[in-house]
Amino acid sequence: MPRHTRPPLWRDKSPDQKLETLRGLILDLYRYQLGDALAEISAMLDAHQPADAEEACDIQQIKALIAEHPNILNMNCEIGHITASAVIVHPESGRTLLHWHKRLTRWLQVGGHSEYETDLAQVALREAREETGLPDLSHFPSADLPLPVDYDVHTIPESGKIPEHLHLDFRYVLVTEQPAALAPSEGESTRFRWLTFSEALAMGAAIDDSLRRLLRKASALFDIEASQKSV
């Protein structure tokens, strides 16, 4: 709805007031352009059943940040931004893939930032292809209607000129039938481990609690799939 200009007028505003006005105009543009996509993402969060109190708290934090920051899908959002990641599984061997994150110096699932994309399932798939080179990755259990299996909010430490910020991570499960075809893009980490879920979960402090929860969820999905096929 159009709004009349209110005092102080532009010519009378201080530099800080002008900056705040411009910031508000830019955020209004983000709301106009991304409002429908953010509404769909919020609905996806509402439909998810959290595994524990920590995940429930993270989901509420993500929803609050989406409501407050319409540019949350973009890396220019100062407090943080939405990311997408995936645990990759080779169903035949029951193994999952972990990779060594060079900057964070820990074992993680693959994933990364949106590049002006609003389809987070496709962000997770693109990032996984870039980081692993696996040619046949697809979403599980549904390639047609992929949904996150887990949500997590974590703090990324300051690095160079990039200040500390939050990653609001939407986490998926992907499958491959070609685990030996690893061929990461240039500049990506080349350190990977194919492990059974039991081996991965036994890594102790080498993996964090949120990844441990994601691995348990992924393992349960394949247990359900196997039990359904045996009926």
Side-chain angles (χ1 to χ4, degrees):
M1 180 181 297
R3 291 172 290 183
H4 283 286
T5 300
R6 296 181 179 180
L9 300 180
W10 181 262
R11 65 174 182 267
D12 300 322
K13 289 181 185 290
S14 68
D16 286 345
Q17 288 173 322
K18 289 180 178 180
L19 182 62
E20 190 60 32
T21 299
L22 290 173
R23 184 188 295 270
L25 290 172
I26 292 170
L27 292 180
D28 282 347
L29 287 174
Y30 274 108
R31 289 187 183 93
Y32 176 78
Q33 188 174 39
L34 298 175
D36 289 344
L38 293 175
E40 290 180 8
I41 291 171
S42 293
M44 195 160 57
L45 290 161
D46 287 336
H48 183 78
Q49 183 63 44
D52 52 34
E54 184 171 354
E55 187 183 13
C57 182
D58 285 351
I59 288 172
Q60 292 305 312
Q61 185 178 8
I62 295 171
K63 288 175 60 180
L65 290 170
I66 287 174
E68 186 176 355
H69 302 278
N71 60 333
I72 199 76
L73 282 165
N74 294 276
M75 292 175 67
N76 64 12
C77 185
E78 294 171 354
I79 193 170
H81 33 264
I82 289 174
T83 57
S85 67
V87 59
I88 298 173
V89 180
H90 177 229
E92 184 177 343
S93 66
R95 292 180 299 162
T96 187
L97 182 67
L98 298 182
H99 88 118
W100 181 256
H101 195 289
K102 292 185 291 185
R103 185 162 71 84
L104 297 179
T105 62
R106 64 183 308 115
W107 292 100
L108 293 170
Q109 74 278 17
V110 295
H113 300 92
S114 164
E115 296 179 1
Y116 304 102
E117 303 148 288
T118 58
D119 187 336
L120 299 177
Q122 288 304 305
V123 173
L125 187 59
R126 173 183 55 75
E127 286 285 338
R129 286 171 174 163
E130 291 175 0
E131 293 185 10
T132 68
L134 292 170
D136 66 335
L137 290 170
S138 61
H139 280 279
F140 184 89
S142 171
D144 297 325
L145 187 62
L147 293 171
V149 300
D150 191 75
Y151 296 92
D152 178 67
V153 177
H154 51 275
T155 301
I156 301 299
E158 179 182 359
S159 176
K161 294 183 179 180
I162 302 174
E164 180 180 282
H165 60 281
L166 298 174
H167 276 184
L168 319 178
D169 202 26
F170 288 54
R171 298 174 161 187
Y172 296 81
V173 176
L174 301 175
V175 292
T176 179
E177 297 300 332
Q178 302 180 48
L182 286 169
S185 301
E186 185 177 353
E188 300 288 353
S189 170
T190 58
R191 191 176 171 190
F192 294 92
R193 295 182 70 181
W194 281 106
L195 302 166
T196 66
F197 284 107
S198 295
E199 289 170 338
L201 290 168
M203 290 176 69
I207 62 173
D208 61 32
D209 289 341
S210 66
L211 176 53
R212 188 170 286 104
R213 185 181 67 213
L214 174 59
L215 291 170
R216 289 195 181 106
K217 289 184 178 184
S219 177
L221 280 177
F222 286 92
D223 288 343
I224 292 170
E225 183 81 359
S227 66
Q228 289 175 340
K229 287 182 178 179
S230 66
V231 174

